[in-house]
Amino acid sequence: MSALSTRRLALRVALGLLILALGAMVITLGAAGIATGLARADSEADLATLAAVGATPRVRRTLSGLQCGLIAAMGVLLGALSGLIPAIGLRLALHRQDVEEWRSGWERGANADPRPDLFLELPWATFGQLIVVVPLIGRVMAALLTRSRVPLARRAG
């Protein structure tokens, strides 16, 4: 394999990982945004109480940002695990098939190649970027898009 074809293959793999990472980021941030919006609507009375007792607008933004960041982090971790487990299982099944083909060729005397090795190369850099960057973006976006001031309402009773 020439150096040029090796470089092209590496670029194709890197591009594929980038596309997968961007897709995962969009899906995770969308789901985290929806969940944060629902959580904010559910805790509106609590946020109004916080405002009534003198909490600063920064508290509201920080709370929303932390909620979104936590939801995004959980989504990335669970998504990575749910994709990693079937991928490893598929790779193990393909390796088992390669070994069986090698063994049958070896027994017939038609195969002089060494036994196939199992290689699992995980994209640790991509995992790390997703685990750090996606929740950070979610936290910042939620903090920026959350209203700072809430109208104080009178409570009946």
Side-chain angles (χ1 to χ4, degrees):
M1 195 177 234
S2 72
L4 183 60
S5 62
T6 303
R7 186 171 177 191
R8 284 183 184 161
L9 179 63
L11 286 174
R12 286 181 57 198
V13 169
L15 181 64
L17 283 175
L18 178 64
I19 291 170
L20 284 173
L22 289 176
M25 184 176 74
V26 167
I27 291 170
T28 303
L29 288 176
I34 291 170
T36 302
L38 292 171
R40 188 183 63 98
D42 191 40
S43 65
E44 196 66 38
D46 297 332
L47 293 173
T49 302
L50 281 173
V53 296
T56 64
R58 182 178 181 187
V59 171
R60 182 180 176 94
R61 289 191 308 268
T62 302
L63 182 62
S64 180
L66 288 174
Q67 281 180 331
C68 189
L70 180 65
I71 292 169
M74 292 299 296
V76 167
L77 288 173
L78 292 175
L81 282 176
S82 66
L84 186 62
I85 292 170
I88 290 174
L90 180 62
R91 185 64 193 113
L92 290 173
L94 291 173
H95 176 67
R96 187 176 303 124
Q97 181 181 359
D98 290 345
V99 169
E100 288 300 321
E101 289 175 7
W102 173 83
R103 183 174 291 138
S104 67
W106 182 264
E107 290 171 354
R108 289 191 320 259
N111 194 358
D113 294 333
R115 186 173 192 264
D117 290 330
L118 174 63
F119 292 107
L120 291 175
E121 185 176 343
L122 301 177
W124 292 112
T126 304
F127 287 157
Q129 290 167 357
L130 284 174
I131 290 171
V132 171
V133 172
V134 172
L136 184 63
I137 291 173
R139 182 176 177 188
V140 169
M141 291 299 293
L144 289 176
L145 297 176
T146 300
R147 291 184 300 164
S148 298
R149 306 275 180 205
V150 279
L152 293 179
R154 297 192 147 226
R155 293 192 180 218

